[in-house]
């Protein structure tokens, strides 16, 4: 492998992490990148639910040149604070979520689909090849690269590459193939014992709700003994709200998680029907609004993965490397940080290599630096996410009393600066992408 030819890279997975990695790498002279995505094509409607994108994630999108595009879409509202209540409707406190003055952006509540649409628009603008209905099925290590095999519309293809980036999610096939090549058992996602459920309802369907949730208080999170309920505005015109719940549930097989609608709402009502307005009303409207069951997501994680890369031909990013529980609101932001950091290191490598002959050990050094730089930060966020998740499990009345007053005490003294470690973090070299883009235009 030498740097006087293009470095061939395949990215498995065209989600937020994979699409952003493709954009970063396409900006580096000397790299050819192709994306393989298992979905049949771009979705034409909201797909994948809501998420909070922290200021750190927004700053990565700024580096990509797409943050302004995201903010002009009909979905997406700024969130400066989270309002925390108890199940009786009492106020617990507020949690800062960032400001433009301190971080360049506040947090943004939007949908996964909107973020992905913005990224895919940029992928298409740059004419980055993306092969839909494609899945990596084989990996053969060579002395100077690897043979990647994938199915595309049912037909098998293969290509010799210098690097395969696995961004194919929590059930990553690339992770399985990589660990098999290393002669190691593949770490499996671990179910946390918590189940998420949620959906959308029209704001006008509940009288008085526009006084409860509005631009000044766009997100409310309600803590109780039998779980957790979150409510948020998503659309700028505030026609709909999203609701979601987290509560303990026994593990099931992947097929058994297709729980009937009536069974799901029976459990939700058992847990939350005696909570204060507007929780019972939301469940009633949600149950009657559609024949479909609410979206369910068993909350699993991939934590402490010992190997994010092999001997220089494969690296994992995003959920493939460190799928984290949603309780931190940092999953998408960390996938974006992964893509930006890996892109930064590869850009440094390509600019310093010149015409010298490169070996697998050179790429291995890049990938090793990437894992060392990222795993400490990601591990700390996962630990905090698990701590928050444990607060959503069933608890006694005394446990809830202690939790509530402990939160009140913390929130009374909490300042925006406490979030600097998460929101104030900037990926090395992130500003250079913007400068490079500006100079080239």
């Amino acid at each position: 492998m030498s740097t006087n030819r293009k470095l061939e890279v395949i990215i498995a997975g065209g989600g937020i992490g994979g699409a952003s990695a493709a954009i970063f790498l396409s900006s580096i002279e000397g790299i050819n990148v192709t994306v393989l995505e298992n979905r049949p094509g771009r979705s034409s409607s909201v797909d994948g639910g809501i998420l909070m994108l922290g200021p750190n994630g927004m700053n990565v999108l700024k580096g990509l040149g797409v943050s302004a595009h995201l903010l002009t879409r009909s979905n997406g509202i700024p969130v400066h604070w989270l309002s925390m209540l108890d199940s009786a409707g009492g106020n617990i406190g507020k949690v800062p979520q960032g400001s433009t003055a301190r971080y360049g952006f506040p947090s943004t509540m939007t949908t996964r689909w909107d973020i992905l649409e913005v990224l895919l628009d940029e992928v298409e603008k740059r004419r980055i090849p993306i092969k839909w209905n494609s899945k990596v099925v084989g990996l053969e290590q060579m002395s100077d690269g690897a043979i990647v095999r994938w199915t595309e519309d049912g037909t098998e293809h293969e290509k010799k590459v210098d690097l395969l980036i696995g961004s194919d999610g929590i059930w990553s096939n690339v992770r399985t193939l990589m660990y098999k090549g290393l002669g190691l058992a593949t770490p499996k996602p671990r179910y946390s014992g918590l189940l998420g459920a949620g959906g959308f309802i029209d704001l006008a369907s509940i009288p008085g709700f526009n006084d409860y949730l509005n631009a000044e208080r766009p997100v409310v999170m309600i803590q109780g003994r039998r779980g957790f309920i979150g409510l948020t505005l998503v659309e700028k015109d505030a026609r709909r709200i999203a609701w979601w719940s987290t509560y303990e549930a026994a593990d099931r097989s992947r097929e058994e998680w297709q729980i009937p609608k009536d069974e799901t709402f029976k459990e939700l009502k058992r847990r939350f029907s005696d909570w204060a307005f507007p929780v019972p009303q939301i469940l009633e409207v949600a149950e009657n609004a559609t024949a479909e069951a609410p979206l369910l997501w068993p909350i699993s994680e991939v934590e402490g993965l010992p190997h994010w890369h092999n001997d220089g031909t494969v690296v994992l990013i995003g959920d493939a490397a460190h799928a984290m529980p949603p309780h931190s609101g940092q999953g998408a932001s960390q996938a974006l940080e992964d893509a930006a950091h890996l892109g930064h290191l590869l850009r440094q490598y390509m600019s310093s290599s010149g015409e010298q002959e490169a070996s697998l050990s050179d790429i291995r050094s890049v990938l090793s630096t990437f894992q060392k730089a990222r795993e400490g930060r990601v591990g700390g966020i996962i630990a905090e996410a698990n701590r928050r998740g444990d607060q959503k499990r069933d608890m006694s009345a005394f446990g809830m009393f202690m939790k509530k007053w402990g939160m009140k005490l913390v929130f009374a003294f909490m300042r925006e600066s406490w979030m600097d470690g998460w929101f104030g973090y900037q990926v090395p070299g992130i500003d250079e992408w913007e400068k490079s883009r500006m100079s080239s235009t």
Side-chain angles (χ1 to χ4, degrees):
M1 181 173 66
S2 64
T3 54
N4 58 10
R5 68 167 176 83
K6 295 281 190 178
L7 202 71
E8 295 292 339
V9 179
I10 281 181
I11 299 175
I16 291 174
S20 55
I23 299 168
F24 280 121
L25 267 58
S26 74
S27 304
I28 303 172
E29 185 177 356
I31 293 182
N32 276 337
V33 60
T34 301
V35 179
L36 307 179
E37 169 54 42
N38 192 38
R39 291 173 299 153
R42 292 180 65 165
S43 173
S44 59
S45 60
V46 174
D47 182 28
I50 60 168
L51 60 78
M52 183 87 84
L53 196 61
N56 52 314
M58 288 297 299
N59 275 299
V60 174
L61 293 184
K62 181 184 177 185
L64 287 170
V66 301
S67 57
H69 185 184
L70 178 65
L71 294 177
T72 61
R73 295 180 68 86
S74 59
N75 291 324
I77 56 170
V79 179
H80 299 278
W81 300 87
L82 301 178
S83 298
M84 311 294 288
L85 306 181
D86 63 25
S87 59
N91 181 61
I92 297 177
K94 297 196 302 183
V95 183
Q97 293 299 295
S99 65
T100 302
R102 191 173 189 88
Y103 304 119
F105 296 93
S107 291
T108 301
M109 182 66 80
T110 185
T111 73
R112 184 175 298 276
W113 174 74
D114 280 280
I115 299 172
L116 189 53
E117 281 293 283
V118 166
L119 292 170
L120 290 176
D121 283 346
E122 188 68 14
V123 166
E124 291 185 357
K125 177 182 175 182
R126 292 172 180 247
R127 298 182 180 179
I128 300 170
I130 180 166
K131 299 180 181 296
W132 300 99
N133 203 23
S134 299
K135 180 180 180 180
V136 173
V137 295
L139 179 65
E140 181 181 348
Q141 184 64 53
M142 310 289 286
S143 61
D144 57 349
I147 302 294
V148 176
R149 297 186 176 88
W150 72 91
T151 57
E152 182 180 344
D153 292 324
T155 303
E156 189 163 308
H157 300 259
E158 67 176 46
K159 183 178 182 178
K160 185 178 178 183
V161 302
D162 300 298
L163 181 63
L164 170 64
I165 299 174
S167 184
D168 50 343
I170 188 170
W171 300 101
S172 170
N173 206 39
V174 173
R175 182 175 65 230
T176 299
L177 293 169
M178 188 187 86
Y179 269 78
K180 182 179 179 182
L182 291 170
L184 301 171
T186 305
K188 301 294 185 184
R190 180 186 67 84
Y191 174 55
S192 67
L194 292 169
L195 178 65
F200 295 89
I201 64 169
D202 292 335
L203 185 69
S205 62
I206 300 178
F209 199 37
N210 56 344
D211 294 326
Y212 183 90
L213 209 62
N214 48 54
E216 288 69 40
R217 191 170 80 162
V219 182
V220 172
M221 295 187 170
I222 309 168
Q223 308 282 338
R225 288 180 54 193
R226 296 187 296 275
F228 162 91
I229 291 278
L231 310 171
T232 183
L233 299 177
V234 180
E235 301 168 320
K236 291 182 174 66
D237 61 7
R239 290 179 303 167
R240 293 192 306 162
I241 65 109
W243 65 274
W244 74 100
S245 175
T246 308
Y247 55 90
E248 281 193 284
D251 197 7
R252 305 179 182 220
S253 69
R254 294 180 73 177
E255 295 75 19
E256 289 174 333
W257 283 117
Q258 304 299 316
I259 302 174
K261 174 184 173 180
D262 58 347
E263 183 180 335
T264 299
F265 276 103
K266 180 179 179 181
E267 179 63 11
L268 288 168
K269 288 183 174 182
R270 183 184 74 82
R271 290 177 173 274
F272 307 120
S273 63
D274 61 347
W275 285 22
F277 176 89
V279 173
Q281 291 81 359
I282 286 172
L283 295 180
E284 190 69 28
V285 169
E287 184 176 21
N288 296 325
T290 175
E292 297 179 359
L295 180 67
L296 298 178
W297 56 95
I299 298 172
S300 300
E301 67 182 74
V302 177
E303 182 183 7
L305 199 67
H307 301 282
W308 293 18
H309 64 92
N310 64 358
D311 57 0
T313 56
V314 184
V315 64
L316 307 174
I317 67 172
D319 283 355
H322 50 70
M324 60 180 63
H327 320 298
S328 68
Q330 278 285 309
S333 294
Q334 292 310 301
L336 287 166
E337 286 187 12
D338 279 357
H341 205 130
L342 181 60
H344 169 68
L345 294 173
L346 287 171
R347 181 176 59 185
Q348 284 188 319
Y349 165 73
M350 294 297 289
S351 63
S352 64
S353 295
E355 296 298 317
Q356 299 176 11
E357 198 74 16
S359 67
L360 287 177
S361 62
D362 296 319
I363 301 295
R364 183 190 301 127
S365 178
V366 170
L367 303 185
S368 178
T369 300
F370 168 72
Q371 179 173 348
K372 289 176 182 177
R374 293 293 300 152
E375 62 184 349
R377 174 167 171 78
V378 168
I381 291 172
I382 290 176
E384 173 61 18
N386 282 325
R387 188 194 69 78
R388 295 182 184 185
D390 286 341
Q391 296 297 307
K392 299 173 183 178
R393 300 183 188 277
D394 294 353
M395 62 181 63
S396 66
F398 178 73
M400 184 62 208
F401 175 84
M402 295 298 293
K403 170 187 169 181
K404 173 182 172 180
W405 287 99
M407 293 172 73
K408 275 181 169 285
L409 181 63
V410 170
F411 296 158
F413 292 96
M414 196 170 193
R415 299 294 179 266
E416 186 180 24
S417 60
W418 290 20
M419 303 304 296
D420 284 357
W422 284 18
F423 297 157
Y425 176 84
Q426 291 217 339
V427 178
I430 192 64
D431 291 337
E432 296 172 23
W433 298 100
E434 186 174 12
K435 293 175 183 177
S436 175
R437 189 178 62 256
M438 296 298 289
S439 64
S440 66
T441 57

